[in-house]
């Protein structure tokens, strides 16, 4: 999804590009989800980042532009099936987010969710406003990563993508009105990358 400001204002929706299903199987063959079974600390300190962005704070704008560039770079890495670059960009995405919001806002459990993966050879990032991470690791590291999360009291599961009949090895563009609910579900969970050129839309609502 590309939320280019001009395009969004003119159409009322972003620019959607569906990537080939082979992108995921080559670049990120193993994905996992870890989350708090009973979340109690997903970042309780309110952040002023969105207000600072809207006020034109140059530091916030620069950091958001970097995050948007990570999404662009990830798109290219997925198309190339570049596993190493995808992993590096996942780590870089979280690093930028941590610099932008700070540890108090992110919360201890979110930091621990990311660190557990890193400490066992994997990489993880926040997929939303907090309380869960999506990550990847090598097959040989999976048991250790799973055991570490479960020992810390988190729920761990390997993600198993299910591709539908409309998932092909072709890149094509679509509009929301042309996509069925099932297709949207498949698109959001299986084979797309968020590509954002209006960085303000990357700000999680809870922050």
């Amino acid at each position: 999804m590309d939320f280019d400001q001009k395009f969004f204002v003119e159409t009322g929706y972003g620019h959607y590009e569906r990537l080939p299903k082979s992108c995921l199987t080559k670049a990120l063959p193993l994905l996992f989800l870890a989350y708090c079974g009973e979340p109690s600390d997903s970042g309780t300190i309110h952040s002023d980042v969105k207000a600072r962005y809207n006020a034109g704070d140059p530091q916030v704008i620069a950091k958001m532009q970097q995050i948007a560039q990570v999404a662009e770079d990830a798109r290219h890495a997925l198309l190339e099936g570049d596993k190493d670059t995808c992993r590096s960009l996942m780590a870089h995405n979280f690093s930028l987010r941590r610099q932008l919001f700070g540890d108090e806002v992110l919360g201890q459990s979110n930091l621990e969710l990311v660190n557990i993966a890193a400490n066992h050879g994997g990489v993880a990032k926040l997929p939303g406003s907090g309380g869960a991470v999506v990550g990847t690791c090598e097959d040989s590291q999976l048991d250790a990563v799973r055991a570490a999360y479960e020992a810390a009291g988190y729920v761990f599961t390997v993600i198993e993508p299910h591709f539908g009949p409309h998932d092909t090895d072709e890149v094509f563009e679509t509009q929301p009105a042309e996509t069925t609910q099932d297709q949207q579900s498949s698109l959001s969970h299986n084979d797309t990358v968020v590509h954002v050129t209006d960085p303000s839309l990357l700000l999680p609502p809870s922050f």
Side-chain angles (χ1 to χ4, degrees):
M1 295 180 287
D2 181 350
F3 291 102
D4 175 75
Q5 185 69 22
K6 183 175 183 294
F7 186 88
F8 193 83
V9 169
E10 291 177 350
T11 64
Y13 52 81
H15 177 260
Y16 296 79
E17 181 184 31
R18 189 169 185 137
L19 301 182
K21 66 178 182 180
S22 58
C23 289
L24 184 65
T25 55
K26 290 180 180 179
L28 294 170
L30 192 160
L31 284 171
F32 64 78
L33 178 71
Y35 59 94
C36 306
E38 297 181 1
S40 59
D41 173 25
S42 60
T44 57
I45 307 300
H46 183 69
S47 171
D48 62 352
V49 169
K50 188 168 185 177
R52 289 168 59 195
Y53 180 89
N54 291 335
D57 185 316
Q59 292 183 334
V60 174
I61 290 174
K63 197 66 66 178
M64 295 305 297
Q65 289 173 339
Q66 292 178 56
I67 293 174
Q69 185 60 52
V70 168
E72 175 66 22
D73 294 343
R75 173 185 175 276
H76 291 294
L78 283 169
L79 287 171
E80 294 295 323
D82 188 340
K83 180 170 65 174
D84 291 339
T85 297
C86 282
R87 291 182 60 157
S88 176
L89 290 169
M90 288 176 72
H92 188 40
N93 172 273
F94 178 75
S95 176
L96 289 170
R97 183 166 178 170
R98 187 174 186 177
Q99 295 169 40
L100 183 63
F101 290 103
D103 289 358
E104 283 190 304
V105 171
L106 293 180
Q108 185 57 40
S109 62
N110 286 324
L111 297 175
E112 185 176 41
L113 280 162
V114 172
N115 288 336
I116 286 175
N119 292 338
H120 293 81
V123 61
K125 65 179 293 295
L126 303 178
S129 59
V133 292
V134 62
T136 186
C137 64
E138 299 295 337
D139 287 336
S140 60
Q141 300 164 331
L142 180 59
D143 289 343
V145 171
R146 181 196 299 274
Y149 276 113
E150 293 180 345
Y154 296 108
V155 180
F156 181 92
T157 184
V158 174
I159 298 173
E160 298 182 6
H162 296 279
F163 299 105
H166 297 283
D167 295 305
T168 70
D169 281 333
E170 298 179 359
V171 177
F172 65 92
E173 298 176 0
T174 184
Q175 296 179 3
E178 299 175 348
T179 310
T180 68
Q181 185 174 357
D182 288 343
Q183 289 172 321
Q184 287 175 351
S185 175
S186 173
L187 180 141
S188 64
H189 289 289
N190 296 330
D191 58 354
T192 58
V193 60
V194 178
H195 166 217
V196 180
T197 55
D198 178 5
S200 67
L201 294 164
L202 286 167
L203 293 168
S206 63
F207 293 150

